Amino acid sequence: MDQPPAPLPRTAPPGGCPHAENAVLLSRGAVVPVVLPGGVEGAAVLAHEVLKDFLQRPEVAKDARHFTELREGRIPPGWPLITFVTVPSMLTADGEDHRRLRGLVSRAFTPRRVEALRPRIQELTDFQLNCLARALADGGGVADLREHFALPLPMGVISELLGVETEFRDRLHYLSDRVTANEIEPAEAVAANREMIAVLTAIAAARTEQPGDDLTSALIAVRDEGGDRLSHEELIGTMLLMIVAGHKTTLNLITNAVRALCAHRDQLDLVRAGGAGWADVVEETLRWDAPVSYFPFRYPVRDVTVAGTPIAAGTPVLAGYSAAGRDPAAHGPDAHLFDVTRPARADAVRHLSLGHGVHFCLGAPLARLEATVALEALFDRFPALELAVPESRLTPYGGFTTNTVNTLPIRVGA
């Protein structure tokens, strides 16, 4: 790559979104060299069509044995992004290993099984709305929607699916933040990863002793029946992936959707009048304000050229989901506008925010269902809900992988 690497967005403009920085990067090309934490050189694929193609290329791997600097011992154990690289799960597997690991979990996430969860998701949503109402009353009419609604709902759903007891949930959310943080001291990163593994090991031990009707128990049973199918490390890695991806993405999706609707009351009024559906809100939010901004990592197994840009074998490459979502070449000159009536693309790929190809997000049906149920119920309960602070006072969550805000103070308007 001939041009000098660019720093990834570490700060954000008022409102906490990365899109101004994304536009600058995208103006440099569909693929740009970037500097990762610790001075590690990588690349980011930003343009929609180029990213869609890149995510399907057979010469691009997920297994970190193809990561040159890691293989050569130049990535320290406390590197902030190490969890995305080394945890054994379908996230870091290719070929047969990926098919095996994904197959063990996929039966829990079929559209039919996910739809069967709708009544329970509605129950949890109603419970959290009552919690939000109490928080509003206790806070003088103001409450953090992220803390009191957008977080506990998906955390509750994925925890029930995995058989995680209530007492573990707050700690697992905290540790999820730490092990995926982009800017964290090496000692803190090592400690967080160790504690996360210890907590998940304790949960697995409890499910081994007292199996239940949950995914963790099912995975343990598979391991015990055929030890070569799922190792202990793969079990813990799969649990970690399910916990982190199973609540953080949906948490950000709900937060970003509420923020978008509060800033675009005409769009909210249109949905509530039946001019568009809540599913349309979810899809437009995924495109316009992707919950994950830059997702680690893929590694070319040989030198490749992507959109005219050479990328050396073993380079860690980020998928620029939030940049691709606002790519004018794919979404038109109004790509920067939030429009729930935006027609689906002719190729049926409206956005890439949940991935594409064989690594497409396994939990996508669940995330979509949770967000749809949550948004409809939220605005039915609080139709005049609005932001309690100006957009300019919202602060970014931090780092470049996650795209959301730290808090979303809301109030119930007149």
Side-chain angles (χ1 to χ4, degrees):
M1 290 176 278
D2 296 331
Q3 56 184 319
L8 283 163
R10 294 175 182 273
T11 59
C17 64
H19 303 296
E21 288 90 342
N22 286 344
V24 172
L25 289 176
L26 191 55
S27 71
R28 300 180 62 179
V31 181
V32 295
V34 294
V35 179
L36 300 166
V40 176
E41 293 191 1
V45 182
L46 310 173
H48 177 101
E49 290 299 330
V50 177
L51 179 57
K52 179 184 170 186
D53 175 72
F54 182 77
L55 294 176
Q56 301 178 95
R57 293 181 72 156
E59 69 272 33
V60 175
K62 292 284 285 181
D63 191 325
R65 66 188 176 89
H66 300 288
F67 184 0
T68 299
E69 290 202 39
L70 180 69
R71 188 176 64 248
E72 294 177 353
R74 291 183 279 143
I75 300 296
W79 193 50
L81 298 168
I82 200 68
T83 299
F84 292 102
V85 173
T86 60
V87 171
S89 70
M90 70 185 82
L91 181 66
T92 55
D94 297 307
E96 183 54 40
D97 277 343
H98 173 257
R99 286 188 289 273
R100 173 175 59 89
L101 293 169
R102 189 178 177 98
L104 293 174
V105 180
S106 62
R107 285 167 289 186
F109 292 95
T110 63
R112 180 179 62 81
R113 291 202 174 191
V114 167
E115 183 59 32
L117 295 173
R118 182 183 291 272
R120 181 55 181 154
I121 292 172
Q122 188 67 62
E123 288 178 6
L124 291 171
T125 298
D126 293 341
F127 175 81
Q128 289 307 147
L129 286 173
N130 291 336
C131 294
L132 177 61
R134 287 194 295 271
L136 285 164
D138 293 343
V142 175
D144 178 11
L145 181 122
R146 186 177 173 88
E147 176 184 356
H148 296 289
F149 184 69
L151 165 60
L153 174 58
M155 191 68 193
V157 172
I158 197 64
S159 294
E160 288 193 6
L161 191 62
L162 286 169
V164 175
E165 300 296 340
T166 304
E167 61 264 27
F168 291 111
R169 296 177 188 179
D170 287 345
R171 194 62 185 169
L172 284 174
H173 170 65
Y174 169 79
L175 291 170
S176 296
D177 281 346
R178 303 309 289 164
V179 301
T180 58
N182 305 152
E183 299 172 2
I184 184 174
E185 292 298 319
E188 293 181 79
V190 171
N193 275 278
R194 285 177 176 168
E195 185 179 354
M196 174 66 93
I197 291 172
V199 172
L200 294 175
T201 299
I203 294 169
R207 297 279 67 79
T208 299
E209 185 175 337
Q210 292 185 313
D213 184 20
D214 56 73
L215 182 55
T216 301
S217 297
L219 292 173
I220 291 168
V222 168
R223 184 190 66 187
D224 291 343
E225 291 167 5
D228 61 339
R229 295 201 65 204
L230 189 69
S231 69
H232 173 74
E233 290 75 17
E234 289 172 335
L235 171 65
I236 299 303
T238 298
M239 292 173 65
L240 188 155
L241 174 61
M242 293 293 101
I243 288 288
V244 174
H247 87 278
K248 284 179 67 69
T249 300
T250 309
L251 157 62
N252 295 345
L253 172 57
I254 294 171
T255 301
N256 293 0
V258 172
R259 178 181 164 207
L261 290 170
C262 287
H264 300 83
R265 303 302 298 193
D266 61 323
Q267 300 289 290
L268 175 59
D269 292 343
L270 180 67
V271 174
R272 290 186 53 78
W278 292 104
D280 297 317
V281 174
V282 170
E283 296 310 310
E284 181 65 350
T285 302
L286 285 166
R287 181 201 69 82
W288 186 75
D289 209 14
V292 176
S293 195
Y294 288 88
F295 194 72
F297 281 119
R298 282 171 169 78
Y299 319 94
V301 300
R302 58 176 176 78
D303 293 350
V304 297
T305 298
V306 180
T309 301
I311 305 178
T315 299
V317 182
L318 295 164
Y321 293 144
S322 62
R326 296 199 185 188
D327 179 7
H331 303 291
D334 66 345
H336 62 290
L337 300 179
F338 181 75
D339 179 6
V340 297
T341 66
R342 187 177 300 275
R345 289 167 49 88
D347 61 3
V349 181
R350 184 169 178 174
H351 58 78
L352 299 168
S353 298
L354 296 170
H356 191 63
V358 297
H359 285 279
F360 179 77
C361 177
L362 188 61
L366 181 60
R368 284 173 160 133
L369 176 61
E370 288 179 54
T372 302
V373 170
L375 293 169
E376 181 173 12
L378 175 68
F379 284 100
D380 278 350
R381 179 77 172 266
F382 305 113
L385 182 150
E386 61 186 14
L387 297 186
V389 300
E391 278 265 340
S392 60
R393 288 179 54 191
L394 297 175
T395 57
Y397 193 77
F400 58 84
T401 54
T402 296
N403 174 38
T404 191
V405 289
N406 271 317
T407 62
L408 193 69
I410 55 97
R411 63 182 168 221
V412 178

